[in-house]
Amino acid sequence: MDLATIVGIIGAFAMLVFTAINTAGGIDGLLRLLNLPSFALVIVGSYFAVMVANKWGTALGAFSVIKRTFSVPSFNESAIIQKLVAFSEKARREGLLALEDELEDLEDEFMKKGLRLVVDGTDATIIRDLMELELTQMQQRHSENINMLNSWAALAPGFGMMGTVIGLVNMLSNLEDKASIGPNMAMALITTLYGSIISNTTVMPWARKLQGQDGYESSVKEMIIEGVLSIQAGDNTRILALKLLAYLNPALRKTMEAELVKD
C-alpha cells in the first residue's frame, strides 16, 4: 500500500473537518456542510461529463485506475540489472545463442522479448525500434488514464459552480423571506466547496501520482532496452553495468556499484 496516498487523503479531509468544527460551531457546523443533492451533482454529474470527454472503456475503468494510486509499483531494478549483467557475462563467454535456454525462466516479458530478438540475430536498429514502440504504446495507455483524471479534476469545480448558480436562483426567487437568505446562500456555496474538494484533494493528486508511476515504469523499460542492446553489441560487462546503474537512485546505485563494478 502507498502510505503517501492514504495519509495524504486522510490528512487533507481531517484538516477540512478540523476547520469546519472549529470555525462553525462544533459538530453542527460540520453537519451544515453535508448536502446529498450537492454531492450527487458534483460527483455523479462530473463523472458523466468525464464519459463525454473520454472513451467509454477509459471512463468505465476510472475506479480501477484510481485503485493503482493506493499501491506502490515495484519493478525490482536491482534484480533486473543483476540478470542483465549475468546474461552479458554468459553471452561474452559462450555466445548469444547460449542465452536461449534461460529465456523461458524470465518473468519480465519486456526483457524476454528483447533478448529473444537478440538470440534470433535481429539487427540492433530493429530491436530498438520494436522495444521503443512497445514503450511508447504503454505510455500512451497511461496517458489516456492520466488525462481522464485530469479532465475530471477540471470538470468537478465547474459542476460545483453550476450547483451554486442553481442555489442562488432559488434564493433570489424568494427574497421576500429575509430570514432564509443567509442559510440559502450558505447552501448554494456548498457545491462550490465540494467541487474544489474533489478536484484538489483526490482527483488531481491521483493524476499526478499516476504520472509519477508512468515515469518510473518508463525509466525501467528504458534501462532494459539499453541492457539488451548492450548485450547484443557485445559490450564489456563493466560498461553495461555502469550504463544500467545510471538509472538507479544514488543510494541504491552506490550499493550495487560496489557489488557489480569491480576493478
Side-chain angles (χ1 to χ4, degrees), residues 1-255:
M1 295 294 288
D2 190 336
L3 288 179
T5 300
I6 297 171
V7 172
I9 291 176
I10 293 175
F13 278 97
M15 291 300 99
L16 288 168
V17 171
F18 174 81
T19 301
I21 290 176
N22 286 275
T23 60
I27 296 298
D28 289 340
L30 175 62
L31 294 177
R32 282 196 291 270
L33 296 179
L34 303 180
N35 184 266
L36 184 58
S38 297
F39 182 84
L41 174 63
V42 172
I43 302 297
V44 182
S46 62
Y47 177 67
F48 281 123
V50 167
M51 288 186 176
V52 178
N54 296 271
K55 294 189 295 187
W56 178 253
T58 303
L60 288 182
F63 299 100
S64 62
V65 168
I66 290 170
K67 184 179 178 181
R68 296 177 199 167
T69 68
F70 290 87
S71 61
V72 179
S74 177
F75 301 101
N76 202 352
E77 305 100 296
S78 300
I80 290 174
I81 291 176
Q82 289 172 338
K83 181 65 72 174
L84 286 169
V85 167
F87 279 147
S88 174
E89 291 174 342
K90 184 167 185 176
R92 286 172 59 82
R93 188 174 59 249
E94 303 176 28
L96 292 173
L97 290 176
L99 303 179
E100 186 170 13
D101 294 337
E102 298 187 34
L103 293 184
E104 294 305 319
D105 295 330
L106 277 178
E107 295 181 1
D108 191 299
E109 288 296 325
F110 187 70
M111 188 196 304
K112 183 187 292 186
K113 290 176 183 177
L115 289 173
R116 174 64 65 188
L117 291 170
V118 169
V119 171
D120 290 343
T122 309
D123 183 77
T125 302
I126 296 176
I127 294 175
R128 180 179 289 278
D129 287 345
L130 289 172
M131 296 186 78
E132 288 185 347
L133 175 61
E134 186 167 342
L135 171 59
T136 299
Q137 292 305 307
M138 180 204 76
Q139 292 171 330
Q140 178 61 35
R141 292 191 298 272
H142 291 176
S143 179
E144 287 183 3
N145 292 327
I146 293 168
N147 289 338
M148 179 267 296
L149 290 180
N150 280 329
S151 67
W152 198 351
L155 290 164
F159 273 81
M161 287 302 298
M162 291 181 203
T164 296
V165 171
I166 292 171
L168 290 175
V169 168
N170 291 332
M171 182 192 74
L172 293 172
S173 65
N174 192 30
L175 282 177
E176 63 274 8
D177 184 3
K178 304 289 193 244
S180 67
I181 293 178
N184 285 335
M185 175 66 82
M187 186 62 69
L189 294 175
I190 287 177
T191 48
T192 298
L193 174 64
Y194 283 177
S196 180
I197 289 173
I198 295 304
S199 176
N200 293 288
T201 64
T202 55
V203 184
M204 192 183 300
W206 284 333
R208 294 294 297 272
K209 178 77 73 172
L210 289 176
Q211 193 171 8
Q213 291 181 359
D214 171 66
Y216 174 33
E217 187 170 358
S218 296
S219 177
V220 172
K221 281 185 164 38
E222 288 169 1
M223 180 183 73
I224 291 173
I225 292 173
E226 289 302 321
V228 167
L229 291 174
S230 188
I231 291 172
Q232 196 267 353
D235 288 344
N236 182 283
T237 302
R238 178 186 174 87
I239 300 301
L240 177 142
L242 288 172
K243 284 183 180 180
L244 302 183
L245 289 172
Y247 288 87
L248 302 181
N249 66 65
L252 182 56
R253 176 178 178 175
K254 185 175 181 180
T255 301

